[in-house]
Amino acid sequence: MDLSNFTTLQNLEAAFGGESMANRKYLFFADVARKLGFTDLAKLFRETAEQETEHAFAHFELLHPELVVKDAAALTDEQKREIVSRCLSLAIEGETYEYTTMYPEFAAAAQSDRDHPAAEEFLKQAQESSEHANIFRDAAHRFGLLKFIENYHADRYAEALEVLNGGQPVTRVAGTDPSTRKWICKLCSMIYDPVAGDPDSGIAPGTPFEDIPDDWYCPICGATKKTFKPLEEKIAA
């Protein structure tokens, strides 16, 4: 769908927001009805909430056609990672907006109105949104690292296949320059590149593996620094 039409875009976003809010509102009503003993009404509210969810999903698919999965089996691993990475990016964007802008502004307005319970609730939600954003960033970081791991595995399998078909084994050696020598986790194959560092873990780009603090751990599997060994790379022809 062409979303260059700004009015249609705004209407879709408003419709998605309305259907999403209706879903949560009806689930709240269902909980109230259940507590009061009106089980039939509670069921009605829950069923309607599910229908509102389907409406919201339909609107969101129009807003983000890049996330629509029609046949997962037809997608490559790289395409699957791209879709999930996009989901994580949108999640980070939303949570970051909430804790940096939306909730702080709401809290300030509530304090100005002397509505202290609302202000407290907004500040609490801002903190939770910050935590959520950090969780999503960590997940996105892991997906980025997994891309290099899968490439490494694919290369090794390709080499093994070539040897199986009569080719010559590839010569691999570990680098000797600490500033560029990569290290690999023996448990999960996460590769530490000193040129890139691990900024999400507080390791600045350009940090040799030897200079990483001993309490640093693998961002993929949590293994200790001692679990890593120098990565043997193919010798350039």
Side-chain angles (χ1 to χ4, degrees):
M1 179 177 181
D2 182 9
L3 294 181
S4 59
N5 188 315
F6 185 66
T7 300
T8 300
L9 175 62
Q10 284 188 313
N11 289 341
L12 276 172
E13 290 178 338
F16 173 72
E19 298 287 1
S20 300
M21 183 169 60
N23 166 268
R24 310 319 293 176
K25 180 171 61 178
Y26 294 158
L27 287 179
F28 181 87
F29 292 167
D31 189 53
V32 171
R34 179 186 60 79
K35 291 177 179 177
L36 296 177
F38 297 97
T39 56
D40 289 342
L41 282 178
K43 180 181 179 182
L44 174 62
F45 282 130
R46 285 195 299 271
E47 290 176 348
T48 308
E50 287 300 318
Q51 294 168 6
E52 301 292 6
T53 294
E54 292 303 318
H55 299 165
F57 281 8
H59 299 328
F60 200 76
E61 287 179 352
L62 291 175
L63 287 167
H64 293 283
E66 76 278 10
L67 301 179
V68 177
V69 178
K70 294 182 179 179
D71 183 6
L75 300 176
T76 64
D77 289 343
E78 180 62 24
Q79 289 173 321
K80 292 177 182 178
R81 282 194 292 270
E82 287 179 359
I83 292 173
V84 175
S85 294
R86 176 60 175 154
C87 291
L88 287 168
S89 295
L90 289 172
I92 293 170
E93 178 183 320
E95 295 292 341
T96 300
Y97 167 73
E98 288 181 3
Y99 82 81
T100 61
T101 304
M102 187 179 78
Y103 282 125
E105 290 182 355
F106 288 176
Q111 290 170 343
S112 178
D113 291 340
R114 292 186 173 84
D115 191 334
H116 300 300
E120 183 178 349
E121 174 64 18
F122 289 142
L123 291 175
K124 176 184 176 182
Q125 292 303 320
Q127 177 60 36
E128 291 187 3
S129 294
S130 175
E131 293 171 358
H132 292 165
N134 288 333
I135 291 172
F136 287 135
R137 288 194 188 95
D138 182 60
H141 177 53
R142 292 189 179 203
F143 269 104
L145 294 175
L146 285 171
K147 175 181 179 179
F148 296 105
I149 294 175
E150 299 302 342
N151 286 342
Y152 171 75
H153 288 164
D155 284 345
R156 298 307 297 265
Y157 286 138
E159 292 170 13
L161 179 60
E162 184 175 347
V163 172
L164 185 64
N165 291 331
Q168 295 298 315
V170 174
T171 301
R172 288 175 171 268
V173 297
T176 57
D177 184 353
S179 66
T180 57
R181 182 171 57 227
K182 299 176 183 178
W183 290 67
I184 184 170
C185 176
K186 291 185 287 185
L187 293 183
C188 72
S189 296
M190 180 271 174
I191 298 172
Y192 175 79
D193 183 352
V195 175
D198 183 16
D200 288 341
S201 300
I203 309 300
T207 303
F209 186 81
E210 291 82 354
D211 293 344
I212 295 177
D214 290 336
D215 60 356
W216 177 82
Y217 56 87
C218 175
I220 295 294
C221 69
T224 64
K225 180 181 176 181
K226 294 180 180 180
T227 311
F228 283 70
K229 66 177 182 179
L231 174 67
E232 294 184 344
E233 300 187 81
K234 289 186 290 187
I235 297 178

